[in-house]
């Protein structure tokens, strides 16, 4: 089979996106340490995860499969707790990936859990998470979700609209509870990320605008209701952010609101939640912030601004999700059809696709992938890894270099798929969603079962 090989870089006329590296990597078998799970190794040329050969994982659990390194998740969770210190609180943003096993891991390492739907709340409670360590988010919380959260005694509820403030007070009075409330503030900070992942500009659905005065009014309404306990302020500027300057500006603006609250009401803001959205490396060019540097910067800016305003320093809270679970996971696929488009690239089809990773189609996300079931000394070929769905946009990895001797039956591994891939998974074209397998110390277990065709048919009651 003729392949489009690029031993010294792309040929004249090859189609490459502007952000694609101009030359192939020096070693197609190398694993970039910032992208792959910390326990990922090549042994005899074969990728191992948690001490297990990926060929054995594929044979036992099938493909596609998301393989999650438990030690990696726990280690990253501990790093956030250690970096921010005992006087701060770290919550795991469960929307990144929500399962009982993972929520147990992170809470055992000292994290709380934030949820944004009744379903995520149910998983957290089912996992045995202390309700006092749960924060409920959401721009349109259903009455049943509010009632469940208040009844369970969750630690915080983040209010997002005037209607929700009144609704929450109604349920709190009916249940004889007084929930602690954070007011979500839209700071107007421009996060340098994809438009759909930016959440602090005014023209969007989340929070109360600082610029319009809505945030000040929301605090007034919460303080006027004896059924609610005003705990503090919440700000979230977006996701997959590398430039920490946005967090500093947001903290400045939210703390200015805290100063106004103190001046107008004589109330100290006890808690300041700066959200999450900390970026991770998906490709070698990504420069993700170090946790220690991030913690030092945020703590410093909060302390200095409070000193200027003459207000007590609130307890700092953050909500990493992707940064905890994202790098921990690799998706294994089996190669099927390989199609060369002469002079352009080679299309490598795998047995999954946008049903298990829609981020490439949704956010134009980039990923790193590698031949996992063996090593190869063959010349690199410019490739596009695509799925098996009936969509031309069904792309897993837009552009990468794979060995030109790649063949059907080989295993490909796509790195950094722990966040949002399984969470956003679908049954498009009636493909069952893949399972999630945890690996640790040479042992593997399924923590989310692979769906079957029987599962799909069982829901079709017509």
């Amino acid at each position: 089979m003729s392949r489009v090989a690029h031993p010294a870089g792309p040929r004249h006329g090859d189609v490459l996106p502007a952000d694609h590296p101009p030359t192939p990597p020096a070693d197609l078998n190398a694993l970039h340490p910032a992208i792959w799970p910390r326990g990922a190794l090549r042994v005899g040329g074969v990728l191992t995860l948690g001490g297990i050969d990926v060929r054995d994982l594929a044979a036992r659990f099938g493909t596609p499969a998301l393989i999650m390194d438990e030690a990696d998740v726990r280690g990253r969770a501990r790093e956030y707790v250690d970096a921010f210190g005992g006087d701060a609180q770290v919550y795991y943003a469960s929307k990144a990936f929500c399962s009982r096993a993972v929520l147990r891991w992170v809470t055992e390492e000292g994290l709380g859990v934030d949820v944004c739907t009744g379903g995520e709340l149910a998983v957290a409670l089912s996992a045995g998470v202390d309700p006092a360590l749960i924060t409920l988010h959401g721009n349109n919380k259903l009455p049943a979700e509010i009632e469940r959260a208040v009844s369970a005694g969750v630690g915080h509820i983040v209010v997002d609209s005037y209607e929700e403030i009144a609704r929450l007070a109604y349920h709190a009075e009916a249940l004889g509870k007084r929930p602690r409330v954070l007011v979500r503030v839209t700071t107007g900070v421009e996060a340098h990320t994809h438009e759909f992942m930016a959440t602090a500009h005014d023209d969007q659905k989340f929070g109360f605008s600082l610029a319009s005065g809505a945030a000040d009014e929301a605090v007034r309404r919460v303080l006027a209701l004896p059924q609610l306990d005003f705990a503090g302020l919440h700000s979230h500027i977006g996701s997959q952010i590398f430039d920490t300057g946005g967090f500093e500006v947001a903290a400045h603006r939210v703390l200015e609101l805290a100063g106004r609250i103190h001046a107008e009401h004589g109330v100290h803001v006890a808690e300041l939640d700066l959200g999450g959205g900390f970026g991770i490396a998906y490709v070698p060019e990504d420069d993700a912030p170090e946790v220690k540097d991030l913690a030092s910067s945020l703590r410093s800016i909060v302390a200095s601004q409070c000193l200027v305003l003459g207000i007590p320093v609130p307890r700092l809270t953050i909500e990493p999700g992707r940064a905890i679970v994202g790098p921990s996971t690799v998706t294994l696929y089996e190669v099927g059809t390989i199609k060369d488009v002469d002079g352009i690239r080679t299309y490598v089809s795998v047995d999954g696709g946008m049903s298990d990773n829609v981020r490439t189609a949704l956010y134009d996300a980039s990923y790193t992938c590698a031949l996992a079931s063996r090593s190869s000394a063959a010349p690199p070929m410019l490739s596009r890894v695509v799925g098996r769905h009936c969509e031309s946009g069904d792309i897993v990895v837009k552009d990468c270099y794979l060995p030109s001797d790649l063949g059907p039956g080989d295993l490909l591994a796509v790195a950094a798929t722990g966040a949002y891939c399984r969470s956003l998974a679908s049954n498009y074209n009636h493909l069952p969603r893949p399972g999630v397998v945890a690996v640790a110390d040479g042992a593997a277990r399924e923590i989310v079962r692979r769906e079957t065709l029987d599962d799909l048919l069982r829901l079709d009651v017509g």
Side-chain angles (χ1 to χ4, degrees):
M1 180 184 296
S2 174
R3 294 282 165 76
V4 182
H6 300 285
R11 302 185 311 185
H12 177 71
D14 284 343
V15 177
L16 286 173
D19 60 348
H20 197 277
T23 57
D27 182 1
L28 289 178
N29 302 302
L31 302 176
H32 193 291
I35 298 170
W36 295 86
R38 291 166 177 170
L41 297 170
R42 281 200 184 271
V43 178
V46 178
L47 179 65
T48 65
L49 299 168
I52 307 175
D53 188 315
V54 294
R55 297 171 299 183
D56 295 333
L57 291 169
R60 178 179 172 189
F61 298 104
T63 56
L66 289 95
I67 312 299
M68 178 175 289
D69 187 325
E70 178 181 345
D72 192 301
V73 174
R74 288 181 177 274
R76 293 176 193 275
R78 285 195 300 272
E79 285 177 4
Y80 269 89
V81 172
D82 293 343
F84 278 88
D87 57 340
Q89 180 63 55
V90 182
Y91 284 80
Y92 170 67
S94 66
K95 65 179 182 176
F97 174 72
C98 187
S99 79
R100 285 181 286 193
V102 169
L103 298 192
R104 291 189 190 108
W105 299 345
V106 297
T107 53
E108 287 169 2
E109 300 302 335
L111 275 64
V113 174
D114 87 50
V115 301
C116 57
T117 66
E120 290 176 355
L121 176 60
V123 175
L125 294 174
S126 173
V129 178
D130 181 355
L133 293 176
I134 297 175
T135 296
L136 176 65
H137 290 269
N139 68 298
N140 184 28
K141 304 175 190 69
L142 303 181
E145 293 173 330
I146 293 175
E147 186 174 357
R148 178 80 189 278
V150 173
S151 297
V154 301
H156 299 89
I157 296 177
V158 182
V159 293
D160 206 272
S161 67
Y162 295 139
E163 288 94 342
E164 188 172 88
I165 293 172
R167 191 179 302 141
L168 178 58
Y170 169 82
H171 286 286
E173 184 170 26
L175 294 166
K177 302 273 191 175
R178 190 167 183 255
R180 290 178 62 76
V181 171
L182 297 174
V183 172
R184 179 159 180 169
V185 176
T186 303
T187 60
V189 173
E190 179 185 355
H192 297 289
T193 185
H194 189 281
E195 177 187 358
F196 295 164
M197 294 191 285
T199 59
H201 53 288
D202 286 336
D203 187 12
Q204 47 95 23
K205 69 178 185 177
F206 292 110
F208 297 94
S209 167
L210 272 177
S212 70
D216 297 72
E217 176 60 21
V219 172
R220 292 187 193 103
R221 295 191 186 196
V222 171
L223 289 172
L225 291 166
Q227 303 93 330
L228 305 180
D229 181 7
F230 174 67
L233 303 172
H234 181 281
S235 167
H236 183 71
I237 64 173
S239 295
Q240 188 56 5
I241 299 168
F242 293 153
D243 181 6
T244 58
F247 292 104
E248 296 181 7
V249 175
H252 269 298
R253 294 181 182 178
V254 176
L255 286 168
E256 287 173 353
L257 171 60
R260 294 198 299 273
I261 292 169
H262 180 249
E264 181 178 346
H265 306 284
V267 172
H268 293 304
V269 171
E271 302 181 44
L272 175 62
D273 190 328
L274 292 179
F278 315 121
I280 66 169
Y282 286 100
V283 293
E285 296 73 38
D286 288 338
D287 185 18
E290 292 289 336
V291 177
K292 289 183 179 179
D293 294 341
L294 179 68
S296 175
S297 175
L298 292 183
R299 292 174 66 89
S300 175
I301 198 67
V302 170
S304 62
Q305 181 72 352
C306 288
L307 182 63
V308 169
L309 294 169
I311 59 175
V313 177
R315 185 179 77 156
L316 181 61
T317 301
I318 59 160
E319 301 169 350
R322 183 197 316 264
I324 299 291
V325 78
S328 74
T329 302
V330 166
T331 303
L332 290 182
Y333 299 101
E334 182 175 311
V335 175
T337 299
I338 301 176
K339 183 183 296 184
D340 300 312
V341 180
D342 191 36
I344 302 179
R345 61 169 62 83
T346 298
Y347 281 79
V348 177
S349 296
V350 295
D351 54 353
M354 64 192 304
S355 57
D356 61 74
N357 187 351
V358 75
R359 292 190 68 255
T360 306
L362 185 62
Y363 300 129
D364 195 31
S366 297
Y367 283 93
T368 297
C369 71
L371 173 60
S373 48
R374 60 183 175 90
S375 61
S376 173
M381 63 179 179
L382 179 61
S383 306
R384 174 162 289 175
V385 180
V386 296
R388 54 192 298 252
H389 296 282
C390 193
E391 294 283 345
S392 58
D394 178 23
I395 299 169
V396 179
V397 183
K398 292 180 294 184
D399 289 282
C400 60
Y401 289 97
L402 292 169
S404 53
D405 64 351
L406 192 73
D410 280 329
L411 295 178
L412 289 186
V414 177
T417 57
Y420 300 104
C421 290
R422 187 56 171 78
S423 294
L424 288 167
S426 73
N427 294 123
Y428 183 48
N429 288 153
H430 268 59
L431 283 190
R433 289 178 294 180
V436 182
V437 177
V439 293
D441 300 323
R445 63 188 178 99
E446 205 168 38
I447 58 174
V448 177
R449 179 177 62 79
R450 172 183 300 281
E451 288 181 341
T452 66
L453 293 177
D454 286 340
D455 292 324
L456 301 184
L457 293 172
R458 192 174 296 117
L459 298 176
D460 189 341
V461 298

